[in-house]
Amino acid sequence: MAQYLMSVLFDSSDLATAEEMTAITAFNKGLQAEGHWVFAGGLGAPETATVVDGRAGEALFTDGPYVETKEFVAGLWVVEAPDLDAARRIAAGASKACNRRVELRPFL
């Protein structure tokens, strides 16, 4: 089975509502029961980010997000699926559960 990253895209740092969290928890339990679960987690708001650039000797640390954007990655899932079609179906369920857009990308 291949692994896929599902990034949750959102335009606000508001946390999921209680209803959304209930749906996400149920979705996660389904992923685990069906053998698709690898990892999932929510992320802090963009202003909590630190960009680290260690390419030229001593590392440079910059507070805040790397890019200015209206949407950001609010959370993620790593799942296993037998093929892209199955991964798309899983991503559709993720989008519905969290009530946000989800970007699906395969790991290389």
Side-chain angles (χ1 to χ4, degrees):
M1 289 223 273
Q3 290 189 337
Y4 294 86
L5 172 67
M6 299 188 307
S7 301
V8 178
L9 307 177
F10 199 47
D11 60 359
S12 166
S13 49
D14 294 340
L15 298 176
T17 65
E19 184 176 281
E20 290 166 343
M21 283 306 302
T22 298
I24 292 166
T25 298
F27 177 75
N28 288 344
K29 287 180 180 180
L31 287 177
Q32 292 167 354
E34 295 167 9
H36 297 297
W37 176 271
V38 175
F39 175 80
L43 298 173
E47 57 269 14
T48 67
T50 300
V51 177
V52 182
D53 186 351
R55 295 175 293 174
E58 189 171 334
L60 175 64
F61 301 94
T62 307
D63 291 338
Y66 174 69
V67 295
E68 295 291 326
T69 182
K70 291 183 179 182
E71 286 188 314
F72 59 92
V73 178
L76 59 96
W77 280 277
V78 177
V79 297
E80 290 185 336
D83 55 43
L84 180 58
D85 288 338
R88 285 179 174 173
R89 285 190 295 276
I90 294 168
S95 177
K96 183 175 179 97
C98 70
N99 195 34
R100 287 154 178 72
R101 294 181 335 126
V102 171
E103 178 187 73
L104 176 68
R105 296 174 67 183
F107 280 96
L108 300 178

